[in-house]
Amino acid sequence: MTKQRTSKTMLSIKARKGDKFALIKATFLACACLFVAACGKPAPHGVNAITFCSESNPASFNPQLDTSSTTADASAHQIYDRLLEFNPSDGRIEPSLASSYSVSEDGLTYTFQLRKDVSFHETDYFTPTRNFNADDVIFSIERWRNAAHPYHDVNGGFYPYFDSLRLDQRIKSVERINGYRVEITLFKPDSSFLANLATDFAVILSEEYAIKLMTEGRPAEIDRLPIGTGPYKFREFRQNQYIRFTRNENYFLPTTGPDQLVFDITSKASLRMAKLITGECDAVAFPSQSDLAVIEERTDLTLLEKPGLNVGFWAFNASKAPFDNPKVRTALALAVDKTSLLEAVYLGQATRAKSLVPSASWAYQSNARELGYNPVRARELLDEAGIPYDFSMDIWAMPVQRAYNPNALKMAQLIKSYLADVGVRVNIISYDWNIFRENLRLGLHDSVLIGWNADNGDPDNFYRPLLTCDAIPSGTNRAMWCNKQYDALIEQALLTDDFEARTQIYHQANALIFEQMPLMPIAHAFQYQAVRNDIGNMQINPYGGIRFDTVERIRRGDSQTFELSIQTQNENKDDDEDRN
Amino acid sequence: MLKLLVRYLNLMVLTIFALVLLSFFLPFLFPGDTLTNISGIVAQSAEQRAALEGVYQLDKSVFHQFAFYIESLITGNWGISLSDRANLYDDIQLAFPATLELVAYALFVSIVIGIPLGFLSGLKNHNPADFSVVTFSIVGYSFPVFWLALIFITIFCLQLEWLPLSGRIDLLFDVPVNTGFILIDIALSDISNKYDAYLDALRHLILPTASVAIVTTALFIRFTRRSIMDVMKKDYIVAAKSRGFTQSQIFFKHAFKNALLPILPMLALQVSTLITNVMIIETIFSWPGVGRWLIQAIYQQDYPAIRIGMLIVSLFVMSLTITIEFITRAIDPARERAESATI
């Protein structure tokens, strides 16, 4: 409206005033033209690219250093590969960088035969002179296993996943047999060992790059400017804005992925949703629960859904008074009505958590004891523990959305109002995600709303990292709770292969958690991902980070199929036949 | 003239000093640990605390601390962010050009549209063209900027799906940062599809610029209209008419310049409104400018960032206002006596 009227009036001026207005008129027409031109359908970009709207900044580009799924999303399956890989559809372990592997009779020695045709990324900052070989495997494992390794302490020296499982103490040696054969010997048999090598965290780094950085005196850059073997090469990262990747032309497996992959870091779920609708994002992480219906209604969007192997909880810092008192912890858990949290925060897209593992796991205990909502009893317990009226505590609410807790801030506000009823004042605290977790690891919190996403289907992957003593320094035990009896139970559960016996042990652990209440389990949630329909082959990876190697762009805008994209498809046609 | 310059420089220096002084005291007034508020680091141990206190001279007198603060401001050592440990100087250096860019476009659009429309309306007052322009300006001026932006997003982005709603350019265009001004950066870059990049950047510009510019345009229309109406009543215009000059001769020889003169100081007054609006718009359109950055910092209670961000924004607004005021005086010294206290 405005535009039309203004240009018309300008034209009428021109008619009367002669050429003196020519310049203004020209400028004006130009503006009007631009506006009209710009209002057309999106112009083709001429590049085969995918934009993924992620929810936060990765802490680094090395998933060994971090258990956050943001870090894993940004690096684990884009930049790196592992020796072994989970098949995303059935969870079987498949060879990846290892072309084959064998396990000795006694279950102590694992031999990996490596691929010979894998090269590391060639980027602006590194040009590899040799292909991937046994030295890279040894370097990658020794970095977290061997505290004396020159790279062990680079960038913190914490390897939370491996530390929390004490994997470094289970491996006796990592030996090079020849250039393409590696032998790993364990102290005692461990049936979950291969699964651990297939998780997001067991990535293979380049030894050659590490040596180069070390001789140049800037080893810390290994996790900031990453070099891997994966389907995408790292290009640029800008905090709170974007991460750019380009396609690895020499990837050893056939890929259908785009030439450019961009992570558009958008922390607000509503904004990610809006960008998905306008087409500025091709796929989004963690769509908000309230938007799910909208996504399903729209014909240009697809909602992917999977029951998640996760648990959201409220952990109390048991290393700090007065939260070291189980009575206080129980009282706080009693004061909060879990049902309303489930309704208000998850909008019914989650099941109530009674203990740590969800019902999808074989160790799930349907009759596990759980606390009801009882503010009167809560106040009594607080009085018994000597907590005065108007006692003030912090609740840390994580600043990012996760399936297991889509809106921690809202949950914290609800809890705040519940606790006010029993005379406890609450400060809600939130930092940037990376600082948040670092401060949690240091134990600066009173209590925290957070959760856990499993990396493999074994219940040990819940019980051990979340609550054992060993998991405190690595920062996955958010309750900072250390109980020898619990640790013994978890250790005992791994010694047997009998599911029935293990289930019984985990039930005992559940009882102990109920009694001690180091954390209040809240929910097991569904996992969602929303994509535009012109993106094909997108899947939810239940075992960790998002994957873009087999994702493909079908077209963008109206019916503009990309020449480049067709070319890529033709190139890969032979390889793709079995996939299509 | 020199006297004028000295006077304005003096005013500027004094105001800067007051602002710096205020921002110096902010960390002491913010809640929480003063050391953390200043340094952006949560001290983990007594040694680290002592070391940090040494660095920021907290163990010395307030004068030492203030001197150190000024020194670090000048040397670009602006500290680090509490929430993401980013270097604040680098952050602001990246964010500020984006804000300036949006301010410049909005100002340009407002001038190009507002002033001609104002002239038109003032010259033709009380006819339908005038009424429609005046109506538009009243409606435009009455819209709250953030509301207008949301309406634009709802209509043009979500319903019609014509325009993008966030950022300065589609991230798929890999434009390296040189100046921080996206249109200039595209020109300087060596990407292959520059035409597409320009088109895309302009598409990103339309809604944020329009949202800010509508209010400012409405203001300019009203200023110009009032000014030309006043001028046209002046004796020298009547004299020119009586001498038989044509309408266009009168307008270009006599009315145009005289009507523009009072508009310039008005522009100075509007700069702060414009920047405030731009900062709000940045947040809504995820424009990577200093407003969005500052609001994120406030949201995360990132005190070191809030302190430096507020200082930089207020310094910018203040120096711009004083500069425009100075230029106005320099062009039109006759106003000096009558309105010497307008700031």
Side-chain angles (χ1 to χ4, degrees):
Chain A
M1 271 303 280
T2 318
K3 175 210 71 197
Q4 262 182 358
R5 193 191 314 132
T6 48
S7 45
K8 229 190 243 167
T9 41
M10 284 312 300
L11 281 174
S12 63
I13 288 181
K14 197 243 160 185
R16 277 181 292 102
K17 305 284 180 204
D19 280 331
K20 301 217 161 161
F21 274 106
L23 183 69
I24 304 178
K25 187 213 144 198
T27 323
F28 229 84
L29 273 186
C31 287
C33 290
L34 244 173
F35 201 90
V36 173
C39 281
K41 279 284 172 189
H45 293 311
V47 279
N48 175 16
I50 287 181
T51 309
F52 171 68
C53 286
S54 65
E55 78 292 351
S56 185
N57 296 302
S60 71
F61 287 92
N62 183 355
Q64 292 180 328
L65 296 170
D66 195 4
T67 51
S68 158
S69 74
T70 310
T71 304
D73 278 350
S75 56
H77 295 276
Q78 271 53 268
I79 297 168
Y80 299 107
D81 288 296
R82 286 136 292 276
L83 287 177
L84 308 166
E85 202 75 58
F86 288 115
N87 182 320
S89 38
D90 58 15
R92 274 184 302 127
I93 292 171
E94 293 174 346
S96 176
L97 286 178
S99 53
S100 64
Y101 60 91
S102 60
V103 190
S104 68
E105 289 277 313
D106 57 4
L108 289 179
T109 310
Y110 291 75
T111 312
F112 296 91
Q113 180 66 42
L114 308 180
R115 276 176 171 270
K116 295 180 179 169
D117 56 346
V118 180
S119 60
F120 280 99
H121 297 155
E122 185 177 338
T123 63
D124 300 343
Y125 48 89
F126 178 65
T127 309
T129 60
R130 64 164 174 82
N131 272 5
F132 157 76
N133 68 25
D135 294 332
D136 301 310
V137 177
I138 294 170
F139 167 77
S140 307
I141 297 178
E142 290 292 57
R143 179 170 176 196
W144 53 262
R145 188 186 80 90
N146 181 358
H149 191 271
Y151 261 94
H152 183 81
D153 288 332
V154 171
N155 289 326
F158 289 101
Y159 301 89
Y161 184 75
F162 306 111
D163 292 353
S164 68
L165 299 177
R166 279 275 157 243
L167 215 54
D168 50 336
Q169 297 184 1
R170 290 170 192 227
I171 299 175
K172 191 174 169 189
S173 66
V174 184
E175 303 279 351
R176 173 194 163 117
I177 306 298
N178 62 40
Y180 294 97
R181 189 182 278 261
V182 176
E183 195 177 86
I184 302 178
T185 315
L186 306 183
F187 284 109
K188 56 182 180 182
D190 179 353
S191 53
S192 66
F193 183 66
L194 286 177
N196 284 328
L197 287 187
T199 55
D200 286 352
F201 316 106
V203 296
I204 301 298
L205 315 169
S206 164
E207 189 220 18
E208 189 190 356
Y209 180 51
I211 291 175
K212 173 183 179 261
L213 289 180
M214 195 55 107
T215 50
E216 288 171 13
R218 46 195 180 103
E221 290 200 352
I222 192 166
D223 304 318
R224 242 171 13 86
L225 296 172
I227 292 288
T229 55
Y232 294 95
K233 297 193 253 191
F234 173 81
R235 199 175 135 70
E236 194 186 1
F237 167 49
R238 180 154 297 160
Q239 185 95 7
N240 288 327
Q241 293 191 28
Y242 56 78
I243 314 169
R244 287 181 201 283
F245 302 95
T246 51
R247 186 184 154 93
N248 175 7
E249 299 297 338
N250 304 320
Y251 193 52
F252 65 98
L253 288 174
T255 57
T256 53
D259 296 335
Q260 271 196 54
L261 175 65
V262 178
F263 278 35
D264 182 349
I265 300 169
T266 311
S267 55
K268 263 195 220 143
S270 54
L271 188 56
R272 286 201 295 275
M273 182 65 202
K275 283 169 146 185
L276 185 69
I277 290 175
T278 60
E280 285 162 77
C281 304
D282 297 310
V284 296
F286 307 111
S288 140
Q289 313 285 333
S290 53
D291 291 333
L292 297 179
V294 181
I295 300 172
E296 281 183 321
E297 252 171 42
R298 291 185 65 105
T299 52
D300 56 344
L301 305 180
T302 310
L303 183 68
L304 308 172
E305 176 184 304
K306 247 188 188 151
L309 278 172
N310 57 40
V311 58
F313 53 78
W314 180 26
F316 308 103
N317 185 350
S319 68
K320 235 182 184 181
F323 308 99
D324 53 349
N325 183 347
K327 266 188 191 166
V328 176
R329 302 195 294 253
T330 308
L332 292 172
L334 271 172
V336 175
D337 183 7
K338 216 193 274 185
T339 317
S340 74
L341 298 186
L342 283 167
E343 279 168 12
V345 179
Y346 300 87
L347 306 177
Q349 316 284 350
T351 49
R352 192 183 174 94
K354 296 177 170 179
S355 192
L356 297 185
V357 291
S359 58
S361 163
W362 49 261
Y364 177 70
Q365 184 184 9
S366 57
N367 61 351
R369 291 181 68 196
E370 83 176 308
L371 288 177
Y373 170 50
N374 190 343
V376 180
R377 177 77 189 125
R379 188 62 239 176
E380 280 171 19
L381 282 175
L382 287 175
D383 288 336
E384 282 173 35
I387 302 292
Y389 230 80
D390 248 16
F391 169 73
S392 164
M393 67 178 279
D394 293 343
I395 292 182
W396 289 33
M398 57 173 197
V400 296
Q401 300 87 18
R402 285 287 182 264
Y404 53 69
N405 197 338
N407 193 342
L409 209 60
K410 189 172 175 185
M411 191 184 276
Q413 280 153 359
L414 283 169
I415 295 180
K416 180 177 182 167
S417 70
Y418 277 116
L419 293 190
D421 294 343
V422 296
V424 174
R425 281 192 295 127
V426 167
N427 302 316
I428 299 172
I429 290 187
S430 194
Y431 291 103
D432 172 83
W433 183 224
N434 295 318
I435 308 288
F436 187 82
R437 279 175 305 121
E438 203 177 313
N439 287 346
L440 278 183
R441 193 176 62 75
L442 296 169
L444 303 182
H445 57 297
D446 287 345
S447 73
V448 59
L449 288 168
I450 199 162
W452 179 255
N453 226 341
D455 309 291
N456 59 53
D458 198 290
D460 188 61
N461 194 269
F462 284 92
Y463 286 97
R464 183 178 297 275
L466 285 183
L467 287 171
T468 55
C469 303
D470 283 342
I472 295 177
S474 60
T476 54
N477 183 345
R478 304 300 189 194
M480 319 284 285
W481 178 71
C482 180
N483 184 304
K484 294 286 170 242
Q485 195 189 344
Y486 178 86
D487 277 23
L489 282 172
I490 302 307
E491 208 50 57
Q492 196 190 337
L494 264 200
L495 292 179
T496 170
D497 272 340
D498 179 13
F499 283 132
E500 200 47 48
R502 280 186 74 183
T503 307
Q504 284 313 315
I505 297 173
Y506 287 129
H507 288 186
Q508 287 177 44
N510 287 348
L512 194 62
I513 294 172
F514 172 80
E515 221 171 82
Q516 292 279 319
M517 203 51 65
L519 51 82
M520 174 173 108
I522 298 170
H524 307 294
F526 278 91
Q527 242 180 309
Y528 296 99
Q529 221 163 58
V531 281
R532 290 184 69 82
N533 284 347
D534 48 9
I535 302 297
N537 268 339
M538 187 94 174
Q539 289 179 357
I540 292 183
N541 176 11
Y543 306 100
I546 191 165
R547 303 176 62 147
F548 285 99
D549 49 341
T550 55
V551 170
E552 61 187 314
R553 158 163 306 288
I554 302 166
R555 58 198 161 169
R556 175 148 181 161
D558 266 345
S559 55
Q560 298 143 340
T561 314
F562 279 107
E563 285 172 28
L564 278 168
S565 141
I566 299 170
Q567 270 175 16
T568 340
Q569 277 166 16
N570 287 343
E571 277 165 21
N572 292 331
K573 211 169 193 174
D574 304 339
D575 307 316
D576 271 356
E577 266 160 13
D578 48 339
R579 282 164 199 261
N580 300 332
Chain B
M1 187 68 184
L2 191 67
K3 209 175 133 197
L4 192 69
L5 184 70
V6 170
R7 227 171 71 197
Y8 273 88
L9 275 180
N10 189 22
L11 178 67
M12 196 138 148
V13 168
L14 277 178
T15 324
I16 289 177
F17 182 78
L19 283 172
V20 171
L21 191 68
L22 182 71
S23 76
F24 169 72
F25 282 114
L26 275 180
F28 300 94
L29 306 172
F30 285 139
D33 182 11
T34 307
L35 181 64
T36 306
N37 292 345
I38 292 178
S39 64
I41 298 166
V42 181
Q44 301 305 338
S45 58
E47 297 88 64
Q48 198 190 356
R49 214 189 151 77
L52 278 174
E53 278 176 354
V55 170
Y56 290 93
Q57 315 216 346
L58 286 186
D59 44 359
K60 296 195 183 142
S61 73
V62 178
F63 296 105
H64 272 101
Q65 292 174 34
F66 187 59
F68 176 76
Y69 179 56
I70 290 179
E71 189 193 320
S72 41
L73 279 182
I74 293 169
T75 53
N77 180 17
W78 293 357
I80 59 169
S81 149
L82 186 59
S83 79
D84 61 12
R85 308 240 163 107
N87 185 318
L88 294 173
Y89 181 77
D90 294 346
D91 267 11
I92 290 182
Q93 208 183 20
L94 277 175
F96 212 73
T99 302
L100 278 185
E101 195 176 22
L102 199 52
V103 169
Y105 298 144
L107 203 59
F108 173 75
V109 170
S110 310
I111 290 173
V112 165
I113 297 178
I115 291 182
L117 277 185
F119 276 133
L120 175 86
S121 168
L123 289 171
K124 300 259 142 211
N125 61 6
H126 302 304
N127 80 355
D130 177 33
F131 286 135
S132 47
V133 170
V134 169
T135 311
F136 161 74
S137 71
I138 290 176
V139 171
Y141 185 60
S142 314
F143 276 130
V145 175
F146 60 90
W147 185 81
L148 193 67
L150 291 176
I151 294 297
F152 277 168
I153 286 182
T154 317
I155 297 175
F156 293 107
C157 304
L158 298 179
Q159 296 295 324
L160 299 172
E161 295 180 28
W162 283 353
L163 294 170
L165 63 82
S166 76
R168 297 206 284 176
I169 190 166
D170 194 310
L171 290 175
L172 300 179
F173 293 103
D174 194 353
V175 181
V177 179
N178 268 319
T179 55
F181 295 89
I182 192 77
L183 295 185
I184 301 175
D185 278 352
I186 295 175
L188 293 177
S189 73
D190 51 0
I191 53 172
S192 54
N193 39 7
K194 273 193 192 178
Y195 174 73
D196 282 342
Y198 267 118
L199 206 63
D200 191 72
L202 287 170
R203 278 163 39 80
H204 278 84
L205 263 175
I206 291 173
L207 289 186
T209 311
S211 314
V212 182
I214 281 185
V215 175
T216 327
T217 307
L219 273 171
F220 281 177
I221 291 176
R222 300 183 68 73
F223 291 153
T224 319
R225 179 173 177 273
R226 169 65 28 214
S227 166
I228 190 81
M229 278 164 75
D230 288 347
V231 168
M232 291 306 270
K233 282 182 205 139
K234 291 272 161 65
D235 294 345
Y236 55 86
I237 299 286
V238 178
K241 269 187 193 160
S242 65
R243 264 182 244 134
F245 283 124
T246 63
Q247 187 83 350
S248 77
Q249 276 172 323
I250 293 173
F251 179 72
F252 285 104
K253 288 236 163 77
H254 305 285
F256 187 71
K257 251 172 84 183
N258 286 316
L260 277 185
L261 270 179
I263 298 175
L264 204 57
M266 291 300 181
L267 198 135
L269 287 178
Q270 290 314 309
V271 165
S272 58
T273 320
L274 186 64
I275 290 173
T276 317
N277 285 342
V278 164
M279 289 171 70
I280 295 169
I281 290 302
E282 280 175 5
T283 319
I284 297 177
F285 287 99
S286 317
W287 191 269
V290 81
R292 174 167 173 262
W293 182 82
L294 194 56
I295 285 173
Q296 264 179 358
I298 292 171
Y299 178 71
Q300 293 182 326
Q301 303 180 9
D302 186 347
Y303 296 119
I306 296 174
R307 161 158 92 153
I308 202 78
M310 302 231 279
L311 179 64
I312 296 304
V313 171
S314 44
L315 280 182
F316 175 69
V317 173
M318 188 271 303
S319 12
L320 206 63
T321 314
I322 292 187
T323 311
I324 297 178
E325 191 66 28
F326 171 71
I327 293 172
T328 316
R329 291 289 179 78
I331 302 177
D332 187 9
R335 288 163 51 82
E336 192 180 351
R337 287 274 164 242
E339 296 167 47
S340 62
T342 46
I343 289 180

